[in-house]
Amino acid sequence: MMKKIGLSAIIATTAAFSLQANAADPLTEIKPIDAEWQYNGSEPDYVVDVPSFTVPATGVIDYIDSVIPLEFGEDKWVKAVQFIPGDKRVLHHLLSYVVADDAGGREGMLDETVNDPRREFLEGYAPGKEYATSYPDNTGIFVPEGSALRMSIHYTSFGQETVDSTRVGLWFFDKAEEPDFEYHTYSVATPMNQIEIPAGDFEHEAAASHVFEKDIVLHGFRAHMHYRGKSMSARVVYPDNTVEEIINIPNYNFAWQPTYQTDEPMVLPAGSRVVVEGLFDNSEYNLGVPDPTVNAMGGLQSWEEMFIGYFSYHDYVPE
Protein backbone atom coordinates (compact mmCIF):
# COMPACT_ATOMS: atom_id res chain seq x y z
CA MET A 1 0.00 0.00 0.00
CA MET A 2 1.35 3.42 -0.93
CA LYS A 3 2.02 5.62 2.08
CA LYS A 4 0.25 9.01 2.10
CA ILE A 5 2.39 12.10 2.55
CA GLY A 6 0.94 14.95 4.55
CA LEU A 7 0.96 18.59 3.46
CA SER A 8 3.48 19.55 6.17
CA ALA A 9 5.91 16.91 4.91
CA ILE A 10 5.57 18.20 1.34
CA ILE A 11 6.27 21.77 2.49
CA ALA A 12 9.33 20.64 4.49
CA THR A 13 10.68 18.62 1.57
CA THR A 14 10.15 21.52 -0.85
CA ALA A 15 11.96 23.88 1.51
CA ALA A 16 14.86 21.47 1.87
CA PHE A 17 15.23 21.19 -1.91
CA SER A 18 15.03 24.97 -2.25
CA LEU A 19 17.72 25.44 0.39
CA GLN A 20 19.94 22.87 -1.32
CA ALA A 21 19.50 24.53 -4.72
CA ASN A 22 20.53 27.92 -3.33
CA ALA A 23 23.36 26.60 -1.15
CA ALA A 24 27.01 27.39 -1.86
CA ASP A 25 29.07 24.95 -3.84
CA PRO A 26 30.45 22.59 -1.13
CA LEU A 27 33.82 22.50 -2.92
CA THR A 28 34.31 26.17 -2.10
CA GLU A 29 33.92 25.42 1.61
CA ILE A 30 36.64 22.77 1.77
CA LYS A 31 39.90 24.11 3.09
CA PRO A 32 43.27 22.32 3.14
CA ILE A 33 44.44 20.98 6.49
CA ASP A 34 46.90 23.30 8.22
CA ALA A 35 50.32 21.70 8.48
CA GLU A 36 53.02 22.27 11.07
CA TRP A 37 56.78 21.99 11.15
CA GLN A 38 57.66 18.39 11.97
CA TYR A 39 61.35 18.19 12.88
CA ASN A 40 62.44 17.70 16.50
CA GLY A 41 59.58 19.87 17.69
CA SER A 42 61.49 22.96 16.60
CA GLU A 43 60.86 25.81 14.18
CA PRO A 44 63.12 25.93 11.11
CA ASP A 45 66.25 28.05 11.24
CA TYR A 46 65.24 29.61 7.94
CA VAL A 47 61.99 29.67 5.96
CA VAL A 48 61.87 30.20 2.20
CA ASP A 49 58.57 31.72 1.07
CA VAL A 50 57.84 30.50 -2.44
CA PRO A 51 56.19 33.24 -4.53
CA SER A 52 52.40 32.89 -4.46
CA PHE A 53 50.77 31.46 -7.55
CA THR A 54 47.11 31.64 -8.55
CA VAL A 55 46.05 28.24 -9.84
CA PRO A 56 43.09 28.50 -12.24
CA ALA A 57 40.04 26.31 -11.83
CA THR A 58 40.70 24.46 -15.09
CA GLY A 59 43.37 24.03 -17.70
CA VAL A 60 46.90 22.65 -18.06
CA ILE A 61 49.54 24.59 -16.14
CA ASP A 62 53.15 24.66 -17.33
CA TYR A 63 55.82 23.86 -14.76
CA ILE A 64 56.91 26.89 -12.73
CA ASP A 65 60.67 27.49 -12.59
CA SER A 66 61.37 29.57 -9.48
CA VAL A 67 64.78 30.81 -8.28
CA ILE A 68 65.04 32.36 -4.81
CA PRO A 69 68.38 33.74 -3.47
CA LEU A 70 69.52 32.28 -0.14
CA GLU A 71 70.98 35.30 1.60
CA PHE A 72 72.71 33.61 4.52
CA GLY A 73 75.93 35.64 4.29
CA GLU A 74 78.00 32.50 4.94
CA ASP A 75 78.27 28.82 4.08
CA LYS A 76 75.60 26.58 5.61
CA TRP A 77 75.00 22.86 6.04
CA VAL A 78 71.36 21.74 5.90
CA LYS A 79 70.45 18.82 8.16
CA ALA A 80 66.68 18.73 7.52
CA VAL A 81 64.12 20.22 5.16
CA GLN A 82 60.32 20.31 5.04
CA PHE A 83 57.79 21.58 2.51
CA ILE A 84 54.41 22.90 3.64
CA PRO A 85 52.11 23.48 0.65
CA GLY A 86 49.87 26.50 0.70
CA ASP A 87 47.18 24.32 -0.84
CA LYS A 88 48.06 20.64 -1.21
CA ARG A 89 45.05 20.11 -3.47
CA VAL A 90 46.92 21.82 -6.31
CA LEU A 91 50.62 21.31 -5.50
CA HIS A 92 51.24 18.15 -7.47
CA HIS A 93 54.95 18.05 -6.67
CA LEU A 94 58.08 20.14 -6.58
CA LEU A 95 61.80 19.50 -6.81
CA SER A 96 64.37 21.79 -5.20
CA TYR A 97 68.05 22.27 -5.98
CA VAL A 98 70.91 24.32 -4.57
CA VAL A 99 72.45 26.37 -7.40
CA ALA A 100 74.79 29.33 -7.74
CA ASP A 101 72.89 32.60 -7.60
CA ASP A 102 74.16 33.76 -10.98
CA ALA A 103 73.36 33.27 -14.66
CA GLY A 104 74.75 29.73 -14.61
CA GLY A 105 72.42 28.70 -11.83
CA ARG A 106 69.39 30.04 -13.65
CA GLU A 107 69.91 28.85 -17.19
CA GLY A 108 68.81 25.58 -18.74
CA MET A 109 65.71 23.49 -18.25
CA LEU A 110 65.23 21.60 -14.99
CA ASP A 111 64.87 18.10 -16.40
CA GLU A 112 64.26 15.50 -13.68
CA THR A 113 65.92 12.81 -15.79
CA VAL A 114 69.19 14.73 -16.24
CA ASN A 115 71.91 15.04 -13.59
CA ASP A 116 73.30 18.53 -14.10
CA PRO A 117 76.59 19.17 -12.22
CA ARG A 118 75.63 22.83 -11.78
CA ARG A 119 73.00 21.94 -9.23
CA GLU A 120 72.74 19.83 -6.08
CA PHE A 121 69.44 18.14 -5.27
CA LEU A 122 68.06 19.33 -1.94
CA GLU A 123 64.75 17.45 -1.64
CA GLY A 124 61.34 17.15 -3.24
CA TYR A 125 57.71 17.25 -2.25
CA ALA A 126 55.28 14.64 -3.56
CA PRO A 127 51.99 13.11 -2.40
CA GLY A 128 52.42 11.38 0.95
CA LYS A 129 55.38 13.46 2.11
CA GLU A 130 53.98 15.17 5.20
CA TYR A 131 57.02 15.42 7.43
CA ALA A 132 60.52 16.84 7.43
CA THR A 133 63.29 14.95 5.64
CA SER A 134 66.49 14.63 7.66
CA TYR A 135 69.75 13.36 6.25
CA PRO A 136 71.71 10.39 7.63
CA ASP A 137 74.16 10.86 10.48
CA ASN A 138 77.26 12.88 9.62
CA THR A 139 75.80 13.97 6.25
CA GLY A 140 74.01 17.04 4.97
CA ILE A 141 73.50 19.34 2.02
CA PHE A 142 76.22 21.96 1.63
CA VAL A 143 74.99 25.43 0.68
CA PRO A 144 77.89 27.73 -0.27
CA GLU A 145 77.58 31.46 0.29
CA GLY A 146 76.03 33.05 -2.79
CA SER A 147 73.64 30.18 -3.51
CA ALA A 148 70.00 30.14 -4.52
CA LEU A 149 67.16 27.67 -4.21
CA ARG A 150 65.86 26.69 -7.63
CA MET A 151 62.56 24.84 -7.78
CA SER A 152 60.58 23.06 -10.45
CA ILE A 153 56.94 23.33 -9.35
CA HIS A 154 54.05 21.36 -10.84
CA TYR A 155 50.51 22.59 -10.19
CA THR A 156 47.29 20.90 -11.30
CA SER A 157 43.81 22.41 -11.36
CA PHE A 158 40.87 20.72 -9.61
CA GLY A 159 37.80 22.76 -10.53
CA GLN A 160 38.22 25.68 -8.15
CA GLU A 161 40.56 28.65 -8.40
CA THR A 162 42.93 28.90 -5.46
CA VAL A 163 46.22 30.52 -4.43
CA ASP A 164 49.22 28.46 -3.34
CA SER A 165 51.93 29.96 -1.13
CA THR A 166 54.24 27.08 -0.28
CA ARG A 167 56.91 27.39 2.41
CA VAL A 168 60.25 25.58 2.66
CA GLY A 169 61.73 25.11 6.12
CA LEU A 170 65.48 24.59 6.55
CA TRP A 171 67.28 23.38 9.67
CA PHE A 172 71.04 23.98 9.86
CA PHE A 173 73.94 22.25 11.58
CA ASP A 174 75.72 24.27 14.23
CA LYS A 175 79.29 25.18 13.31
CA ALA A 176 80.72 22.70 15.82
CA GLU A 177 78.57 19.86 14.41
CA GLU A 178 79.10 20.25 10.67
CA PRO A 179 79.12 16.85 8.93
CA ASP A 180 81.97 15.18 7.10
CA PHE A 181 79.97 14.11 4.04
CA GLU A 182 77.83 15.77 1.42
CA TYR A 183 74.59 13.94 0.70
CA HIS A 184 73.87 13.49 -3.01
CA THR A 185 70.95 12.20 -5.07
CA TYR A 186 71.40 10.74 -8.55
CA SER A 187 68.50 10.05 -10.91
CA VAL A 188 68.67 6.87 -12.99
CA ALA A 189 66.02 7.31 -15.65
CA THR A 190 64.67 6.58 -19.08
CA PRO A 191 64.72 9.83 -21.10
CA MET A 192 61.18 11.07 -21.60
CA ASN A 193 61.51 11.08 -25.38
CA GLN A 194 62.26 7.35 -25.27
CA ILE A 195 59.10 6.33 -23.41
CA GLU A 196 56.22 4.89 -25.42
CA ILE A 197 53.78 2.44 -23.83
CA PRO A 198 51.48 0.60 -26.25
CA ALA A 199 47.73 1.00 -25.84
CA GLY A 200 46.23 -1.72 -23.66
CA ASP A 201 49.61 -3.08 -22.52
CA PHE A 202 49.10 -4.59 -19.07
CA GLU A 203 52.79 -5.08 -18.17
CA HIS A 204 55.03 -2.88 -20.26
CA GLU A 205 58.65 -3.28 -19.16
CA ALA A 206 61.04 -0.41 -18.50
CA ALA A 207 64.64 -0.32 -17.32
CA ALA A 208 67.53 2.06 -16.76
CA SER A 209 71.01 1.68 -15.27
CA HIS A 210 74.04 3.64 -14.09
CA VAL A 211 77.63 2.80 -13.10
CA PHE A 212 79.02 4.61 -10.07
CA GLU A 213 82.64 5.47 -10.76
CA LYS A 214 83.53 6.09 -7.11
CA ASP A 215 82.95 4.18 -3.89
CA ILE A 216 79.66 5.30 -2.35
CA VAL A 217 77.48 4.57 0.67
CA LEU A 218 73.85 4.14 -0.41
CA HIS A 219 71.19 5.30 2.06
CA GLY A 220 67.94 5.81 0.18
CA PHE A 221 65.84 5.24 -2.93
CA ARG A 222 62.72 6.85 -4.37
CA ALA A 223 60.62 5.55 -7.26
CA HIS A 224 58.85 7.94 -9.61
CA MET A 225 56.33 7.10 -12.33
CA HIS A 226 52.91 8.53 -13.15
CA TYR A 227 49.40 7.04 -13.33
CA ARG A 228 50.48 3.92 -15.26
CA GLY A 229 53.23 3.00 -12.82
CA LYS A 230 52.70 -0.56 -11.61
CA SER A 231 55.95 -1.70 -9.96
CA MET A 232 59.61 -0.80 -9.62
CA SER A 233 62.67 -2.53 -8.23
CA ALA A 234 66.37 -1.77 -7.98
CA ARG A 235 69.42 -4.00 -7.69
CA VAL A 236 73.17 -3.61 -7.78
CA VAL A 237 75.60 -5.62 -9.89
CA TYR A 238 78.96 -5.48 -8.14
CA PRO A 239 82.28 -5.39 -10.06
CA ASP A 240 82.71 -9.14 -9.40
CA ASN A 241 79.28 -9.71 -11.07
CA THR A 242 77.51 -10.71 -7.86
CA VAL A 243 74.03 -9.23 -7.56
CA GLU A 244 72.16 -7.83 -4.56
CA GLU A 245 68.61 -6.54 -4.40
CA ILE A 246 68.24 -2.98 -3.12
CA ILE A 247 64.46 -2.58 -3.06
CA ASN A 248 61.30 -4.09 -4.51
CA ILE A 249 58.11 -2.02 -4.78
CA PRO A 250 55.59 -4.55 -6.16
CA ASN A 251 52.56 -2.25 -5.98
CA TYR A 252 53.62 1.26 -6.96
CA ASN A 253 51.15 3.93 -5.87
CA PHE A 254 51.29 7.37 -7.49
CA ALA A 255 49.69 8.87 -4.37
CA TRP A 256 52.46 7.58 -2.10
CA GLN A 257 56.00 8.47 -3.13
CA PRO A 258 58.26 8.45 -0.06
CA THR A 259 62.03 8.18 -0.02
CA TYR A 260 62.78 4.69 1.29
CA GLN A 261 65.73 4.44 3.67
CA THR A 262 67.92 1.34 3.84
CA ASP A 263 67.92 -0.58 7.13
CA GLU A 264 71.70 -0.58 6.92
CA PRO A 265 73.81 1.60 4.60
CA MET A 266 75.11 -0.27 1.55
CA VAL A 267 78.71 0.26 0.43
CA LEU A 268 78.88 0.13 -3.37
CA PRO A 269 82.47 -0.06 -4.62
CA ALA A 270 83.56 1.85 -7.71
CA GLY A 271 82.36 0.10 -10.85
CA SER A 272 79.07 -1.05 -9.32
CA ARG A 273 76.11 -0.88 -11.68
CA VAL A 274 72.67 -0.07 -10.31
CA VAL A 275 69.75 -1.34 -12.38
CA VAL A 276 66.20 -0.01 -12.10
CA GLU A 277 63.39 -2.13 -13.58
CA GLY A 278 59.66 -1.60 -13.61
CA LEU A 279 56.27 -2.21 -15.18
CA PHE A 280 53.62 0.11 -16.60
CA ASP A 281 49.93 -0.72 -16.90
CA ASN A 282 48.31 1.14 -19.79
CA SER A 283 45.23 -1.10 -19.91
CA GLU A 284 41.55 -0.68 -19.09
CA TYR A 285 42.18 -2.51 -15.81
CA ASN A 286 44.15 0.46 -14.50
CA LEU A 287 41.54 3.02 -13.46
CA GLY A 288 44.15 5.78 -13.46
CA VAL A 289 44.78 5.55 -17.20
CA PRO A 290 43.20 8.52 -19.02
CA ASP A 291 42.66 6.56 -22.26
CA PRO A 292 43.84 2.92 -22.58
CA THR A 293 43.11 2.94 -26.33
CA VAL A 294 46.08 5.18 -27.16
CA ASN A 295 49.82 4.83 -26.70
CA ALA A 296 51.24 6.66 -23.68
CA MET A 297 54.26 8.88 -24.29
CA GLY A 298 56.86 10.27 -21.93
CA GLY A 299 56.38 13.81 -20.67
CA LEU A 300 56.09 16.19 -17.74
CA GLN A 301 52.34 16.06 -17.18
CA SER A 302 50.70 13.32 -15.12
CA TRP A 303 48.76 11.86 -18.06
CA GLU A 304 52.15 11.35 -19.73
CA GLU A 305 54.82 9.13 -18.18
CA MET A 306 58.17 9.13 -16.43
CA PHE A 307 60.50 6.40 -15.22
CA ILE A 308 63.04 7.50 -12.60
CA GLY A 309 64.80 5.84 -9.70
CA TYR A 310 66.51 8.28 -7.32
CA PHE A 311 69.57 7.00 -5.42
CA SER A 312 70.66 8.96 -2.33
CA TYR A 313 74.19 8.46 -1.02
CA HIS A 314 77.46 9.97 0.11
CA ASP A 315 81.04 9.21 -0.90
CA TYR A 316 82.75 6.36 0.91
CA VAL A 317 85.94 7.04 2.84
CA PRO A 318 87.63 4.00 4.49
CA GLU A 319 88.24 4.41 8.20
Short mmCIF file of all heavy atoms in Angstrom, two decimals, residues 65-71 97-108 110 116-119 144-150:
data_model
loop_
_atom_site.label_atom_id
_atom_site.label_comp_id
_atom_site.label_asym_id
_atom_site.label_seq_id
_atom_site.Cartn_x
_atom_site.Cartn_y
_atom_site.Cartn_z
N ASP A 65 59.25 27.52 -12.92
CA ASP A 65 60.67 27.49 -12.59
C ASP A 65 60.96 28.71 -11.73
O ASP A 65 60.95 29.84 -12.20
CB ASP A 65 61.50 27.52 -13.88
CG ASP A 65 62.98 27.33 -13.61
OD1 ASP A 65 63.37 27.18 -12.44
OD2 ASP A 65 63.77 27.35 -14.58
N SER A 66 61.19 28.47 -10.43
CA SER A 66 61.37 29.57 -9.48
C SER A 66 62.77 29.54 -8.89
O SER A 66 63.25 28.49 -8.48
CB SER A 66 60.32 29.45 -8.36
OG SER A 66 60.45 30.49 -7.43
N VAL A 67 63.44 30.69 -8.86
CA VAL A 67 64.78 30.81 -8.28
C VAL A 67 64.74 31.87 -7.19
O VAL A 67 64.38 33.02 -7.43
CB VAL A 67 65.82 31.19 -9.35
CG1 VAL A 67 67.21 31.26 -8.71
CG2 VAL A 67 65.82 30.19 -10.50
N ILE A 68 65.10 31.47 -5.96
CA ILE A 68 65.04 32.36 -4.81
C ILE A 68 66.43 32.43 -4.17
O ILE A 68 66.96 31.40 -3.71
CB ILE A 68 64.02 31.86 -3.78
CG1 ILE A 68 62.64 31.73 -4.43
CG2 ILE A 68 63.97 32.80 -2.58
CD1 ILE A 68 61.61 31.09 -3.53
N PRO A 69 67.05 33.62 -4.11
CA PRO A 69 68.38 33.74 -3.47
C PRO A 69 68.33 33.33 -2.00
O PRO A 69 67.35 33.60 -1.29
CB PRO A 69 68.70 35.23 -3.62
CG PRO A 69 67.85 35.70 -4.77
CD PRO A 69 66.59 34.88 -4.70
N LEU A 70 69.38 32.66 -1.56
CA LEU A 70 69.52 32.28 -0.14
C LEU A 70 70.56 33.21 0.48
O LEU A 70 71.76 32.98 0.36
CB LEU A 70 69.94 30.81 -0.03
CG LEU A 70 68.96 29.80 -0.62
CD1 LEU A 70 69.54 28.41 -0.58
CD2 LEU A 70 67.62 29.84 0.13
N GLU A 71 70.09 34.23 1.13
CA GLU A 71 70.98 35.30 1.60
C GLU A 71 71.41 35.03 3.03
O GLU A 71 71.05 35.73 3.97
CB GLU A 71 70.27 36.64 1.44
CG GLU A 71 69.91 36.95 -0.02
CD GLU A 71 69.07 38.19 -0.19
OE1 GLU A 71 68.44 38.62 0.82
OE2 GLU A 71 69.02 38.72 -1.31
N TYR A 97 66.62 22.44 -5.75
CA TYR A 97 68.05 22.27 -5.98
C TYR A 97 68.79 23.48 -5.45
O TYR A 97 68.30 24.61 -5.49
CB TYR A 97 68.36 22.15 -7.48
CG TYR A 97 67.65 21.02 -8.18
CD1 TYR A 97 66.36 21.19 -8.68
CD2 TYR A 97 68.26 19.78 -8.37
CE1 TYR A 97 65.69 20.16 -9.33
CE2 TYR A 97 67.61 18.76 -9.02
CZ TYR A 97 66.33 18.94 -9.49
OH TYR A 97 65.67 17.92 -10.14
N VAL A 98 70.01 23.24 -4.95
CA VAL A 98 70.91 24.32 -4.57
C VAL A 98 71.74 24.65 -5.81
O VAL A 98 72.40 23.77 -6.39
CB VAL A 98 71.82 23.92 -3.39
CG1 VAL A 98 72.82 25.03 -3.10
CG2 VAL A 98 70.99 23.61 -2.16
N VAL A 99 71.70 25.91 -6.23
CA VAL A 99 72.45 26.37 -7.40
C VAL A 99 73.19 27.65 -7.05
O VAL A 99 72.90 28.30 -6.04
CB VAL A 99 71.52 26.61 -8.62
CG1 VAL A 99 70.78 25.35 -9.01
CG2 VAL A 99 70.52 27.73 -8.31
N ALA A 100 74.13 28.03 -7.91
CA ALA A 100 74.79 29.33 -7.74
C ALA A 100 73.81 30.43 -8.11
O ALA A 100 73.06 30.31 -9.09
CB ALA A 100 76.03 29.40 -8.62
N ASP A 101 73.80 31.50 -7.33
CA ASP A 101 72.89 32.60 -7.60
C ASP A 101 73.50 33.53 -8.65
O ASP A 101 73.87 34.67 -8.39
CB ASP A 101 72.60 33.38 -6.31
CG ASP A 101 71.53 34.44 -6.51
OD1 ASP A 101 70.77 34.33 -7.49
OD2 ASP A 101 71.46 35.37 -5.68
N ASP A 102 73.64 32.99 -9.85
CA ASP A 102 74.16 33.76 -10.98
C ASP A 102 73.51 33.23 -12.25
O ASP A 102 72.60 32.38 -12.19
CB ASP A 102 75.69 33.68 -11.06
CG ASP A 102 76.21 32.24 -11.16
OD1 ASP A 102 75.43 31.34 -11.57
OD2 ASP A 102 77.37 32.00 -10.83
N ALA A 103 73.96 33.68 -13.39
CA ALA A 103 73.36 33.27 -14.66
C ALA A 103 73.46 31.77 -14.86
O ALA A 103 72.54 31.13 -15.38
CB ALA A 103 74.02 34.01 -15.82
N GLY A 104 74.57 31.17 -14.43
CA GLY A 104 74.75 29.73 -14.61
C GLY A 104 73.77 28.91 -13.81
O GLY A 104 73.37 27.83 -14.23
N GLY A 105 73.37 29.44 -12.65
CA GLY A 105 72.42 28.70 -11.83
C GLY A 105 70.99 28.83 -12.30
O GLY A 105 70.13 28.06 -11.89
N ARG A 106 70.75 29.79 -13.19
CA ARG A 106 69.39 30.04 -13.65
C ARG A 106 69.11 29.53 -15.05
O ARG A 106 67.95 29.42 -15.45
CB ARG A 106 69.10 31.56 -13.61
CG ARG A 106 69.15 32.13 -12.21
CD ARG A 106 69.13 33.65 -12.20
NE ARG A 106 69.22 34.17 -10.83
CZ ARG A 106 68.18 34.53 -10.10
NH1 ARG A 106 66.96 34.43 -10.61
NH2 ARG A 106 68.32 34.99 -8.88
N GLU A 107 70.13 29.24 -15.80
CA GLU A 107 69.91 28.85 -17.19
C GLU A 107 69.66 27.36 -17.33
O GLU A 107 69.97 26.56 -16.45
CB GLU A 107 71.12 29.25 -18.05
CG GLU A 107 72.38 28.47 -17.73
CD GLU A 107 73.58 28.92 -18.56
OE1 GLU A 107 73.50 30.00 -19.16
OE2 GLU A 107 74.59 28.20 -18.57
N GLY A 108 69.07 26.99 -18.45
CA GLY A 108 68.81 25.58 -18.74
C GLY A 108 67.52 25.09 -18.12
O GLY A 108 67.05 25.60 -17.11
N LEU A 110 65.11 22.55 -16.09
CA LEU A 110 65.23 21.60 -14.99
C LEU A 110 64.57 20.29 -15.40
O LEU A 110 63.37 20.10 -15.24
CB LEU A 110 64.57 22.15 -13.72
CG LEU A 110 65.39 23.15 -12.91
CD1 LEU A 110 64.58 23.66 -11.73
CD2 LEU A 110 66.69 22.55 -12.43
N ASP A 116 72.52 17.37 -13.71
CA ASP A 116 73.30 18.53 -14.10
C ASP A 116 74.28 18.88 -12.98
O ASP A 116 73.87 19.14 -11.84
CB ASP A 116 72.34 19.71 -14.34
CG ASP A 116 73.03 20.90 -15.00
OD1 ASP A 116 74.23 21.10 -14.75
OD2 ASP A 116 72.35 21.62 -15.75
N PRO A 117 75.60 18.90 -13.28
CA PRO A 117 76.59 19.17 -12.22
C PRO A 117 76.51 20.58 -11.65
O PRO A 117 77.13 20.86 -10.62
CB PRO A 117 77.92 18.93 -12.94
CG PRO A 117 77.62 19.13 -14.40
CD PRO A 117 76.23 18.64 -14.58
N ARG A 118 75.75 21.46 -12.28
CA ARG A 118 75.63 22.83 -11.78
C ARG A 118 74.64 22.95 -10.64
O ARG A 118 74.46 24.02 -10.06
CB ARG A 118 75.21 23.77 -12.92
CG ARG A 118 76.23 23.91 -14.04
CD ARG A 118 75.65 24.72 -15.18
NE ARG A 118 74.46 24.10 -15.74
CZ ARG A 118 73.73 24.63 -16.71
NH1 ARG A 118 74.06 25.80 -17.22
NH2 ARG A 118 72.66 24.00 -17.17
N ARG A 119 73.97 21.87 -10.31
CA ARG A 119 73.00 21.94 -9.23
C ARG A 119 73.11 20.72 -8.32
O ARG A 119 73.51 19.65 -8.75
CB ARG A 119 71.58 22.05 -9.80
CG ARG A 119 71.15 20.84 -10.62
CD ARG A 119 69.79 21.09 -11.26
NE ARG A 119 69.25 19.87 -11.85
CZ ARG A 119 68.84 19.77 -13.11
NH1 ARG A 119 68.96 20.81 -13.92
NH2 ARG A 119 68.34 18.65 -13.57
N PRO A 144 76.86 26.69 -0.30
CA PRO A 144 77.89 27.73 -0.27
C PRO A 144 77.28 29.13 -0.22
O PRO A 144 76.14 29.34 -0.68
CB PRO A 144 78.66 27.51 -1.59
CG PRO A 144 78.23 26.17 -2.09
CD PRO A 144 76.85 25.95 -1.56
N GLU A 145 78.02 30.07 0.33
CA GLU A 145 77.58 31.46 0.29
C GLU A 145 77.38 31.87 -1.17
O GLU A 145 78.15 31.49 -2.05
CB GLU A 145 78.62 32.36 0.96
CG GLU A 145 78.23 33.82 0.97
CD GLU A 145 79.31 34.70 1.58
OE1 GLU A 145 80.33 34.16 2.04
OE2 GLU A 145 79.12 35.93 1.57
N GLY A 146 76.33 32.63 -1.42
CA GLY A 146 76.03 33.05 -2.79
C GLY A 146 75.22 32.04 -3.56
O GLY A 146 75.24 32.02 -4.80
N SER A 147 74.47 31.19 -2.85
CA SER A 147 73.64 30.18 -3.51
C SER A 147 72.20 30.66 -3.62
O SER A 147 71.81 31.67 -3.03
CB SER A 147 73.68 28.86 -2.74
OG SER A 147 74.96 28.27 -2.77
N ALA A 148 71.43 29.90 -4.39
CA ALA A 148 70.00 30.14 -4.52
C ALA A 148 69.29 28.81 -4.48
O ALA A 148 69.90 27.75 -4.71
CB ALA A 148 69.68 30.89 -5.81
N LEU A 149 67.99 28.86 -4.17
CA LEU A 149 67.16 27.67 -4.21
C LEU A 149 66.36 27.72 -5.51
O LEU A 149 65.56 28.64 -5.71
CB LEU A 149 66.23 27.63 -3.00
CG LEU A 149 65.40 26.36 -2.82
CD1 LEU A 149 66.31 25.16 -2.54
CD2 LEU A 149 64.40 26.53 -1.68
N ARG A 150 66.60 26.75 -6.37
CA ARG A 150 65.86 26.69 -7.63
C ARG A 150 64.86 25.54 -7.55
O ARG A 150 65.22 24.41 -7.19
CB ARG A 150 66.81 26.48 -8.82
CG ARG A 150 66.09 26.55 -10.16
CD ARG A 150 67.06 26.51 -11.32
NE ARG A 150 66.33 26.53 -12.59
CZ ARG A 150 66.90 26.43 -13.79
NH1 ARG A 150 68.23 26.32 -13.89
NH2 ARG A 150 66.17 26.45 -14.88
#
